[in-house]
Structure formats: C-alpha cells, structure tokens
Amino acid sequence: DGGSDGAGSNGPHATGSIDGPSGTAAVLEGLDVLGGRSWAPNDLAADLAGYPSEVLEADAAKFHYYVADPGPAPSTTTVVAPFEAFAARPPDARAYLQAPILVCTDYADRPRPARPGLGEGLERTIVDIFERALAAPRRAYAAGPWARSQLFVSHAGATSPLHFDQYLNFFVQCRGRKRFSLAPPERAKDARPERAHAPRDTYARAAPAGLATTILEPGDVLVIPPYWWHAVETLDDHCVSLSFWCGSEAILLAPPA
C-alpha cells in the first residue's frame, strides 16, 4: 500500500524550504527518526494495548476541527476507543486517529504519558527521537521546551483542514506518505479555508490556492514554525505520523531580521 517504513541514508539535510518573515518551514531527511522499529499500526498495538485514543469520524474524508455542525454538510464527531480496536479496523478514510501520547503541563520536565497504557518501549523510542534525532534541528530553530507529542494514524484520502498551531512543530513521518500544503501567517489571504472543511464560513473558497506543497516520505521531518497555515492529505493506507510540539516563545519574541 506504499506504507513501508524507510529512512534517509546520506546524513541530515534539508530537501526543501519555504521562507517567510515569520520563519522557515523545511523538510529534513537523514535524521534517523524511525527508531529501528516497525510503525505498522498492528505492531504499535503491542505498545498501545488498551490505550484510550481519540478517533475523528466523518461522513466524508474531509474532517472539521472544533466545529459542531448539525447541518447537511459532512460532520465530524470524536469517539474514544482502545488503540488496538482502531488498528484492527479495515482502512477507511473517514476515520482518523489523533491520540495525545506525551504531554507536559508545566515545562519543568520532559512530557509524561498522556494517559495510562503507553508501553515503555514506544515511550523510549519517542523520547529518543526528540532528545537524539531531533537535537540538531531543535538547536537550529531555537526550540523551546517540549510541550507534547501526538500520534496520527490515517488512511488514503483522509484530509485535515487548513489550520495553524501556536507551537513549533517537528512533524515526523513514520509510515506511508502525506501531502502538506503550507503558507506563512502573512499569507493569510491565500490561506482561506476550504469550503468542504468549513461549510458555514463565508470567507472559505472551493479550494485553497497559492500554497506551497510537499510530500513527506517515511523518515522525513517537516519543520512547521508557529502560526504557519497547513493542510494535510493522507496518501497511503495505515499511515503513521508523530508531532513534536515545542514552546515557541523565543521564536515569537525575536526581533525581525
């Protein structure tokens, strides 16, 4: 299904970047972020047995965030299910697992498991990715403390709406491929939401325009600066990704160059 695990082989390097006054988004390869393990959902289930996981379910493969829409447009609901129950389901683009894995509430220490049931093996792998594999890019981007990590599992055709986060995000592609569309905050006029994701937004357009696009392969890391617009399309079944969100105060308070 195109979802095999893989890794860059020629040392860390950026394969592309997008500059803006608010920072630079970049795709990094060769960072050894896969931890030498299988990221297939059925294999992850051994480390996540019974782990309560949020699953977004939609009438179509286009998901809404933060909007309860009882109207005729496709709606999105959130259910909580054990990870292994989701992993055992046949591929369906209308279901999208987005589970918090590690969360820090006060920045005093590294994040801790968001809830009971996280296996020690997977926790060690995620901590190693952050502390070792992402050390150089964290220094380069003056990343703040590690705030949280989230696990994403989705299937071909699933799309997340155009949105932004207040964190600096090191987005690690573990299995399968995803297409990102991005724009810096100052390109807000080009970043109008897609009408399929925001049916009640009169500012929405039929499809976003003027956005840069990139496809992530297994082992790639996409650096998304805070407040950058991004939309995501899953290209393969059993696609697995991890986000590493970091505090961005130093970046946001830095004077413009």
Side-chain angles (χ1 to χ4, degrees):
D1 61 14
S4 61
D5 303 327
S9 58
N10 297 315
H13 58 282
T15 59
S17 62
I18 309 161
D19 295 317
S22 55
T24 300
V27 177
L28 309 177
E29 292 184 348
L31 286 171
D32 188 23
V33 291
L34 298 182
R37 65 167 297 149
S38 168
W39 289 93
N42 284 335
D43 294 329
L44 288 174
D47 270 311
L48 291 166
Y51 192 83
S53 302
E54 284 83 351
V55 178
L56 278 62
E57 296 185 341
D59 295 340
K62 295 181 180 292
F63 295 87
H64 303 171
Y65 286 157
Y66 318 123
V67 177
D69 185 358
S75 61
T76 298
T77 58
T78 302
V79 300
V80 177
F83 180 87
E84 67 272 21
F86 176 85
R89 295 168 59 172
D92 186 345
R94 297 169 298 177
Y96 201 150
L97 183 141
Q98 302 187 7
I101 295 293
L102 297 172
V103 176
C104 182
T105 56
D106 58 7
Y107 290 159
D109 199 356
R110 72 167 60 136
R112 301 185 181 279
R115 52 196 60 153
L118 176 62
E120 292 182 2
L122 182 57
E123 182 180 355
R124 285 195 301 269
T125 297
I126 295 172
V127 170
D128 180 69
I129 292 171
F130 181 82
E131 294 185 344
R132 179 188 56 80
L134 295 178
R138 286 192 291 114
R139 288 192 298 269
Y141 276 82
W146 185 8
R148 59 187 289 136
S149 283
Q150 184 150 308
L151 178 70
F152 300 87
V153 183
S154 54
H155 301 291
T159 59
S160 297
L162 200 63
H163 65 285
F164 61 80
D165 304 304
Q166 72 270 33
Y167 297 110
L168 171 66
N169 187 3
F170 297 95
F171 188 93
V172 175
Q173 189 59 27
C174 302
R175 192 175 195 275
R177 300 169 300 147
K178 282 186 173 178
R179 178 186 289 112
F180 273 75
S181 301
L182 302 110
E186 54 273 10
R187 294 279 301 280
K189 288 186 177 180
D190 294 327
R192 288 158 58 183
E194 188 176 351
R195 193 168 296 123
H197 293 294
R200 294 185 175 183
D201 190 342
T202 57
Y203 190 61
R205 64 176 68 182
L211 306 184
T213 62
T214 188
I215 293 177
L216 299 186
E217 303 277 351
D220 287 349
V221 178
L222 175 62
V223 186
I224 309 174
Y227 296 102
W228 273 57
W229 295 94
H230 52 285
V232 191
E233 179 186 1
T234 301
L235 301 180
D236 296 310
D237 288 338
H238 309 291
C239 192
V240 179
S241 315
L242 276 170
S243 64
F244 292 82
W245 283 311
C246 297
S248 55
E249 290 84 356
I251 299 170
L252 296 175
L253 296 175

